[in-house]
Amino acid sequence: MFDDSFSSVDVSEITSAERELIANGLNPMEIQNLCNVHAAVFKGSITDNQTTPAFQKPGHPVSTMKLENLVITSLINDELLPCLKKWQQDGKNEKYLQRMRSALKDLLKIDKHYTRKENLIFPLMDKYGITAPPKVMWGVDDEIRGWIKDANKMVNSKPLPDKYEIERSIEKATKEVLEMIFKEEEIMIPMLDEVATPEDWYAIAKEEPELGYTLISQPLPWKPTAEEIAEGKKKQPSSVAQELNQMAMNLAKTQDLKPKSESKPKKKMSVHERIAQRSKTEPTSLEFPSLDSINVKFDSGTLNLAELTALFKVLPVDLTLVDATDHVKWFSNSPDRVFPRTKAVIGRAVVNCHPPKSVDKVKKILADFHAGTSQKNEFWINLHGKIFVYIRYYALHDEDGNYLGCLEVTQNVTHIRGLKGEKKLLNG
Amino acid sequence: MAEKVIDFEVPIKVLADEYPDFVQIMYDLGFTKIKIPGMINSVGKFINLKKGSRAMGIPLEKIANEFSQRGYTIKNYEQNK
């Protein structure tokens, strides 16, 4: 029965992948290659489910990553580079140029592959104290994105740049993409294999569909078997994991992760001011009206947990809270966030959640908040030329003026900016 | 003085721990990320010179030549990988 259901999914999975690839402009010749991959992957899980290593099972994040890498490698070695060579030899042949254009357009989709890695895999490395490699790798990912964009722009510009410039640009981009694949598979994955548990991979697998895939359709859902979970418990903690954890702890010690404001509160109010403040507002507290319910009593009213949860869902802004140690603590998970967040981000150092090129700006804002020299900051961007996004940062303080963290408020203000005239309740 | 050996199949961390000039030589060869704190202690345990050469696109031959010139004996290095 297991085999039957799997083999039928197998077929539909492959055909839908084929359709998508063709629709996306991939040379049908490559499909054959992909089918072989699929077939190999599925063969393992159908005939010998118990002994197939988890990494090779469809839907396991490592298997998904490797499948994408295979398609990307094939796109480069079997389509893009051969077409480049043939076009080089006969510069007038539009057909090869056209195929290079569509291959580069496909290659741009590597963004999803990197985004999943940066938002799901890197947090896992962080968790086990592997912090330097993901930072370095994120920087290279961003460079590669840039090189592919450059090459793509070149083949689409008019007049066409010099042949050799195009060649250099494509060769640079593809060489770096292939090197990154090697780093992912030969360095990153073995490192993670030392430390990550089946539960870790499961947590990642559940969040992957939301971020999307590169040139493959959504893989089957994967879940670790009871045996794998048991096996994972046996192997933990490996000596390397222990060492890495030790490193992380030492690092935490040297970085002094205590809330910085505890040691030197900048905005502390005088006792007099505090008493005056207290007499005006009542501190927030909890109420337990019955055994199974809790209310949060604010100075201005009381909310129960259901109300609080519902409130954050409909607030027309996306909130993310970074605590006083600059680690992500919470985000409001409204269904249509401007920037999707995954649960893997919770507990991460905020400097590790940004591409290296924007890290300095983030650090500066937080440093100013800690120092009390600034209380808010704002940015606005035009996303894909369609969505106007307004992003604000606020320093949070408790009633005594101690720094609590930073609140990010992101809002799609496209609609608001377009409002004209008036619409009144009274007008009916 | 004991013979200095660069084994291309040994983790980079082992070589870095053993030979004080290793990191600088690697840096000068183009492995610029090697000096970033935490890299040798993490990636360095999983990567040897053969893998490093491919990951960074720095030819094995160039690495072997440089270490030979610095008086190292080269081990487990075949040009046709």
Side-chain angles (χ1 to χ4, degrees), chain A residues 296-309:
Chain A
V296 183
K297 188 164 177 278
F298 294 96
D299 180 48
S300 49
T302 300
L303 296 173
N304 65 33
L305 296 185
E307 288 162 346
L308 265 176
T309 310

Side-chain angles (χ1 to χ4, degrees), chain A residues 120-139:
Chain A
L120 296 170
I121 308 257
F122 287 178
L124 185 57
M125 297 172 82
D126 252 23
K127 180 178 156 191
Y128 290 105
I130 311 171
T131 52
K135 266 186 220 153
V136 171
M137 205 181 238
W138 200 334

Side-chain angles (χ1 to χ4, degrees), chain A residues 372-386:
Chain A
T373 51
S374 124
Q375 303 302 326
K376 61 179 179 190
N377 212 315
E378 59 178 12
F379 299 90
W380 49 94
I381 54 175
N382 202 338
L383 208 59
H384 318 303
K386 283 187 215 131

